Amino acid sequence: MGKLIGMLAALAPFAGIAIMVAYRRRAPGPVALGIVGAALAGAGSLATLFGERAALFGGGGMHGMIERLEGWGLVRVCLVLAGVILLVVAGALGRAQGRSFRWSLIAAALTAAVAGTATGFVHPDLGEDHPGLEIVVTMALEGVQFALLGLGILLLCIAVVSRRGDDGRAEPLGLARDAGVKAWRAYQDARRRG
């Protein structure tokens, strides 16, 4: 489950790009800036995936591996932070119907992103008697971190194109909500069968 959450969170910026491309006619200028921001956040997700693998093969023992992981982590944080800033600016640009709705969406996205970032600073210390449990808790916290960051980035992408005009199509937030409900039901059905 943790790997699935991590993979979905890593794909969130790319899903956001797809949403912005699909609704690009609603706000061409903000969408272009939003796509750049989502691409930076996506590069941060990819840096995490590649960084974990690269850290294993660099030599220098455990200390060298930890240094490489910290370096890749810094690259990821910088890319995601730059992407989030650009997405907030893109979401704030231009006229829209229901401007307070868009700002509420941006606030919710920032709350999720900040909570996800803060989760990265939680380091459980369960003592030397429970090293296995400490690894499990650390992995669970990492999954929560990725999920919150992915949710925040996806909400910011939706905020860029939400309530920008009536082009006869459903609002992207409603479509995302429906897709999430369907995915959750599919997961529950698969779990019951498996």
Side-chain angles (χ1 to χ4, degrees), residues 76-89:
R76 179 178 141 250
V77 167
C78 289
L79 288 170
V80 170
L81 180 63
V84 166
I85 289 170
L86 288 176
L87 282 165
V88 168
V89 170

Side-chain angles (χ1 to χ4, degrees), residues 26 96-98 101-102 105 155 157-165 171-173:
R26 287 184 168 195
Q97 307 158 345
F101 169 80
R102 209 164 14 122
L105 198 54
L155 286 175
C157 292
I158 291 170
V160 171
V161 293
S162 285
R163 306 246 176 127
R164 295 279 189 170
E171 279 294 315
L173 184 60

Side-chain angles (χ1 to χ4, degrees), residues 15 41-42 52-53 57 65-66 75 86 89-91 94 97 117 119 129 141 149-150 160 174 185 189 194:
E52 289 174 353
R53 275 115 186 117
F57 302 110
M65 185 174 85
I66 290 172
V75 167
L86 288 176
V89 170
Q97 307 158 345
T117 302
T119 305
D129 296 338
L141 285 171
L149 282 170
V160 171
R185 286 181 185 153
D189 289 343

Side-chain angles (χ1 to χ4, degrees), residues 36-130:
V36 171
L40 286 173
S45 295
L46 294 177
T48 300
L49 295 175
F50 292 124
E52 289 174 353
R53 275 115 186 117
L56 297 174
F57 302 110
M62 184 64 81
H63 183 68
M65 185 174 85
I66 290 172
E67 281 184 11
R68 285 187 298 281
L69 280 173
E70 288 173 351
W72 279 103
L74 181 62
V75 167
R76 179 178 141 250
V77 167
C78 289
L79 288 170
V80 170
L81 180 63
V84 166
I85 289 170
L86 288 176
L87 282 165
V88 168
V89 170
L93 286 175
R95 296 178 311 195
Q97 307 158 345
R99 194 164 176 81
S100 62
F101 169 80
R102 209 164 14 122
W103 278 106
S104 298
L105 198 54
I106 290 171
L110 286 176
T111 301
V114 168
T117 302
T119 305
F121 294 104
V122 176
H123 301 289
D125 185 12
L126 303 176
E128 296 179 15
D129 296 338
H130 307 288

